[in-house]
Amino acid sequence: MLRLLMCSLALSVVAPLTAQESPVPPVAVPFGMREIDKLPRSQYARPLFGEPSWLWSAETEPQVPEVTIHTKASYRVGLRRLERLCVIEACLPDSVTQTGVLRFRGGDLRLDLPVHWLAPKAQYRARWLPVVAGSISVALEVGGRMVAHGEFATDEEAPQGLFSVQAAQEPPYVDHGYGLLPASYLMVTPGTELAVRFAAGPQAKGAVQVVAELVDRDGATVRSLSRSLSQATQASSLSLDTSDLRAATYGLRLKAVLAGGAVVADTRQVILVERRHEPGFGARYADLSYPAPVYVSRTDTLPWNDLWKGSNLRDLVVSFDNSDARFVFWRGTSYVPCWAFNTSWLSYEWLEAEPDLNGAVDCVEPIMDKECRNSRAEIVSSTPARVVVHWRYGLTDFAQKVINDEWADEYYYLYPDAVGTRKLLAWYKSGWHENQEFLLLNRPGNAPQESVNPQALTLLTTDGRTQRPEWPRPFLSIDGWPHVIASINLPTRLKPFMAVDDADVQVKLWAEPYVEKPGLFNTYLHWPISRGVRTTWLDSPADFQRPTHSNLANLVNAEAESTDDHRVWYWLIGVTQQETELRQATACWLEPGTVKVAGGSFDRYDQSQRAYLVKAAQGAARITLTVTPSEAPVVNPAFVISGAGQWLSEASCSHGAKRVALGRENDGHDLVVYVEGQFDAPFTVEIR
């Protein structure tokens, strides 16, 4: 049977109150004291069918096979036609099999989706489905037998047409002086082609004329293309060449004329920049701008430069060799560090205290410090061997007050391979606090589902275990895992990750079952960039035109050190291209092997720095380090040698190293040696 279609904006009918009735005021439960917050941490990672039903919804267990389609107000230009985001809900209560086929039919649509996730309790999966005129029939078949069927529509409220514009390649826009660019902006270098695609809505008939014009600041056309499409509903592409154009900002005017005279129009901004020399590995101060108006309330805006007029604050960018990864501390995020990719940004969060307590107004966290009064980021050192950045901030409320005099110091140790550590010193005595959460920063104009796919998170261990939870209702089980590596599946070549060395670590997924939400992920309006907006959930698709952020998951782990007034945590962080690289980097961090030293003494392997600590003998003119790997190979090791005189200035590796880099820290008293390579057998590093 097919249950009633639920659209992204559901309506509820509430009976009016009688004279004898009065509304019951909601009970204010402090954050951190709600039922879900008081659960044991292991509750966040229960097996698939072991979760209490109230944790996800109040629905009763289905008695018959069911399939339901929940449509969302999100559309995109697909490979062949306009597509709409839909959440498929299905259950199979009377069978042990979990495999079936969903068959979609409507007009010329013939789409079969295999499903391997059927279960006695309703499961949800998000898919982009073609938008066709009229109703679409859907049938769930299991074992060659149809067990549920019905009809639904994707064309309700569908746009008349939709444009998409992509560049073959975009340079990292932070290298050219910009923070989080709106999705309507593209940045390209001369000669890059712009691929313009258009798909008409399902009601369009006959031919359609598509026109794309690139215009300069005076409105003069510098490039123009036109194409006639015989079938309006079929997506089509045309390309604009930017060769021989000077560096400037251009407008891209897009127009489609449908049969009958209806017009679909759109615009983009194209920033044409000259090619720049790759910055290479290192940290630098920068001035990153934002080209769109900044919201200073729910309705009012001001230009970016007006907000920072007279300020001497600077931004901080860390770049890496032969990589488009950038680690950015930006005023627009209150200096919260993020992996900044052109598609979206990713943050590991910060130290946060319980909101609305101790005189606080709204939340208590550094993102409330919009003017960066109590938030600063500075370069401690930047050498060919590593970068060290210190970020200090107060736990601030919406009224710009530091609550309870609580502060945090974070140190980031980053190496040329774009892998390093985050070390948090949390200065507080007691109370609920949070220190880690994967937060997706969405470009204005993009919903999170346009920046990350429903299988947004991958959880791994070094011994090969894997979990791939999928929104909007992800399930996972990490029972018995010795540690956790979490990788965020951004639509980029490089994936940000974080690893935790804690056998008791637990994972909390921010995923609610409310399928009427505008997107697949919990999304909020008050950060980044925006000011004057208290902590606010996004509940209208139109609000995706603002800068937003979405929370995905928390890694909850015990501190590494603690005293009466502070606690210390550290994590392995970075970006990697393949899961194999990710497992190897983490395995080396967890099992670094042993070191023997001639010309000094071995102190320890410091996980908080991802480095071997060595003390040089006084007056030593040569130090030899012999490293023996454990079961895991040693990958891209770093050594910090204290007491190394200025005469120790050269280093070499016995075999297998692609390169060796040196750097001086602590006013020259410490020598950092970074060795790029993978070592499965003992090797020697010599410093002369």
Side-chain angles (χ1 to χ4, degrees):
M1 61 179 287
L2 181 79
R3 288 189 281 161
L4 293 176
L5 170 71
M6 294 179 63
C7 294
S8 57
L9 296 177
L11 298 177
S12 300
V13 179
V14 180
L17 297 173
T18 65
Q20 290 76 30
E21 296 175 308
S22 61
V24 178
V27 178
V29 180
F31 188 79
M33 297 300 293
R34 302 167 301 171
E35 288 302 314
I36 191 171
D37 296 319
K38 292 188 292 184
L39 288 173
R41 287 184 297 177
S42 60
Q43 293 284 341
Y44 298 134
R46 293 176 66 90
L48 183 62
F49 303 116
E51 294 182 294
S53 60
W54 63 264
L55 183 61
W56 296 104
S57 70
E59 66 185 354
T60 58
E61 291 294 330
Q63 301 300 312
V64 295
E66 294 181 349
V67 57
T68 308
I69 308 297
H70 307 275
T71 55
K72 298 284 187 178
S74 292
Y75 301 87
R76 72 178 186 185
V77 179
L79 293 176
R80 296 185 177 180
R81 66 173 83 202
L82 193 67
E83 294 178 346
R84 182 172 190 167
L85 183 66
C86 299
V87 174
I88 304 169
E89 176 186 358
C91 70
L92 193 66
D94 57 351
S95 175
V96 295
T97 181
Q98 295 181 331
T99 302
V101 178
L102 283 168
R103 303 192 188 280
F104 298 90
R105 301 291 186 266
D108 62 347
L109 176 63
R110 299 290 185 272
L111 177 63
D112 294 338
L113 291 180
V115 288
H116 306 283
W117 38 267
L118 295 172
K121 185 176 180 179
Q123 305 293 294
Y124 295 79
R125 293 294 186 273
R127 296 293 183 268
W128 291 91
L129 297 179
V131 177
V132 300
S135 62
I136 299 175
S137 68
V138 56
L140 174 61
E141 294 185 5
V142 178
R145 180 174 64 91
M146 183 175 65
V147 297
H149 67 92
E151 293 187 347
F152 70 103
T154 56
D155 61 346
E156 295 177 353
E157 302 178 348
Q160 285 189 314
L162 197 65
F163 283 96
S164 73
V165 185
Q166 291 183 325
Q169 186 175 4
E170 290 185 273
Y173 48 67
V174 297
D175 289 353
H176 297 269
Y178 289 94
L180 197 69
L181 277 180
S184 58
Y185 281 72
L186 294 94
M187 180 177 288
V188 297
T189 55
T192 303
E193 287 192 349
L194 301 177
V196 179
R197 305 187 71 241
F198 175 78
Q203 306 300 331
K205 305 295 181 183
V208 57
Q209 188 75 17
V210 179
V211 179
E213 290 183 306
L214 204 61
V215 300
D216 61 19
R217 289 185 180 274
D218 297 325
T221 301
V222 296
R223 292 285 189 277
S224 180
L225 281 177
S226 177
R227 174 170 295 176
S228 180
L229 310 176
S230 58
Q231 294 185 2
T233 58
Q234 297 300 308
S236 185
S237 301
L238 48 91
S239 297
L240 280 173
D241 187 10
T242 60
S243 299
D244 304 324
L245 295 179
R246 63 181 179 86
T249 299
Y250 297 87
L252 179 59
R253 297 174 181 171
L254 306 169
K255 183 174 68 173
V257 181
L258 308 180
V263 175
V264 178
D266 203 350
T267 59
R268 300 286 193 279
Q269 298 294 316
V270 178
I271 304 174
L272 193 65
V273 296
E274 298 293 346
R275 290 183 175 87
R276 288 190 179 183
H277 176 70
E278 289 293 328
F281 176 65
R284 66 187 187 276
Y285 291 110
D287 182 11
L288 303 181
S289 184
Y290 178 69
V294 176
Y295 282 92
V296 294
S297 70
R298 287 302 299 260
T299 56
D300 300 324
T301 63
L302 284 174
W304 170 266
N305 289 337
D306 286 3
L307 298 176
W308 300 101
K309 191 175 297 181
S311 170
N312 61 355
L313 296 180
R314 297 175 296 175
D315 308 306
L316 197 161
V317 178
V318 182
S319 54
F320 302 88
D321 288 337
N322 304 314
S323 172
D324 57 1
R326 301 290 182 267
F327 199 61
V328 177
F329 299 75
W330 184 39
R331 288 164 292 162
T333 62
S334 302
Y335 286 129
V336 172
C338 302
W339 289 107
F341 293 98
N342 287 4
T343 55
S344 54
W345 290 21
L346 192 282
S347 165
Y348 298 118
E349 209 204 15
W350 45 80
L351 182 66
E352 175 183 357
E354 189 167 348
D356 297 316
L357 291 183
N358 303 303
V361 180
D362 201 12
C363 288
V364 181
E365 50 190 339
I367 65 171
M368 293 289 158
D369 188 3
K370 304 296 186 179
E371 298 176 14
C372 298
R373 297 180 188 178
N374 301 292
S375 181
R376 292 289 189 276
E378 65 173 348
I379 300 171
V380 177
S381 66
S382 179
T383 73
R386 76 172 177 183
V387 164
V388 182
V389 178
H390 176 208
W391 174 39
R392 178 171 173 79
Y393 54 91
L395 272 61
T396 309
D397 74 348
F398 187 71
Q400 300 282 298
K401 297 180 297 183
V402 177
I403 303 301
N404 275 355
D405 196 29
E406 294 183 347
W407 295 78
D409 289 284
E410 299 203 17
Y411 292 88
Y412 290 84
Y413 300 88
L414 302 168
Y415 295 90
D417 60 353
V419 176
T421 56
R422 172 196 174 199
K423 181 178 182 179
L424 166 63
L425 282 72
W427 302 98
Y428 68 89
K429 294 182 179 179
S430 62
W432 177 92
H433 289 76
E434 183 178 82
N435 57 30
Q436 196 286 325
E437 191 170 338
F438 294 108
L439 297 165
L440 189 71
L441 280 67
N442 307 302
R443 299 176 66 177
N446 270 2
Q449 55 264 21
E450 297 174 76
S451 303
V452 64
N453 63 45
Q455 199 274 297
L457 180 74
T458 300
L459 302 171
L460 314 96
T461 62
T462 58
D463 59 8
R465 284 176 266 196
T466 306
Q467 287 281 327
R468 304 184 190 277
E470 188 169 334
W471 273 253
R473 181 179 286 185
F475 294 94
L476 75 150
S477 174
I478 58 169
D479 289 350
W481 282 28
H483 53 264
V484 168
I485 313 165
S487 176
I488 308 301
N489 297 319
L490 298 183
T492 54
R493 181 177 58 88
L494 296 168
K495 313 295 182 187
F497 77 88
M498 173 175 272
V500 177
D501 181 15
D502 187 349
D504 294 324
V505 64
Q506 295 299 328
V507 178
K508 177 179 179 180
L509 298 178
W510 287 95
E512 306 292 346
Y514 312 125
V515 290
E516 67 271 17
K517 290 189 304 183
L520 294 181
F521 307 94
N522 297 334
T523 302
Y524 306 83
L525 288 172
H526 56 285
W527 180 79
I529 303 171
S530 298
R531 299 187 180 188
V533 181
R534 294 186 58 160
T535 302
T536 307
W537 280 54
L538 182 149
D539 56 13
S540 169
D543 284 335
F544 284 124
Q545 297 305 314
R546 300 168 179 247
T548 62
H549 72 279
S550 306
N551 54 350
L552 302 177
N554 299 86
L555 300 183
V556 184
N557 63 298
E559 63 267 26
E561 307 169 25
S562 64
T563 67
D564 291 340
D565 64 350
H566 82 281
R567 293 156 177 79
V568 180
W569 283 268
Y570 42 79
W571 302 266
L572 186 71
I573 64 171
V575 293
T576 56
Q577 187 171 351
Q578 299 176 350
E579 291 183 2
T580 301
E581 298 173 353
L582 177 52
R583 295 184 200 268
Q584 289 176 341
T586 305
C588 177
W589 184 63
L590 297 174
E591 301 178 34
T594 60
V595 178
K596 292 183 178 180
V597 181
S601 60
F602 177 59
D603 184 357
R604 70 188 190 279
Y605 181 80
D606 186 356
Q607 279 190 327
S608 72
Q609 298 187 56
R610 191 197 172 205
Y612 302 87
L613 305 188
V614 176
K615 294 180 180 179
Q618 187 171 3
R622 183 187 303 269
I623 298 176
T624 302
L625 311 172
T626 301
V627 184
T628 302
S630 61
E631 293 184 6
V634 172
V635 179
N636 298 342
F639 307 87
V640 179
I641 304 171
S642 61
Q646 295 291 343
W647 56 87
L648 292 173
S649 58
E650 297 180 2
S652 61
C653 185
S654 59
H655 67 278
K658 297 180 180 178
R659 64 168 170 163
V660 179
L662 281 74
R664 289 278 177 182
E665 295 181 357
N666 189 22
D667 294 329
H669 295 292
D670 295 342
L671 178 67
V672 181
V673 181
Y674 170 79
V675 181
E676 183 178 335
Q678 178 175 321
F679 304 93
D680 301 293
F683 64 99
T684 299
V685 178
E686 186 179 71
I687 301 99
R688 299 175 297 280

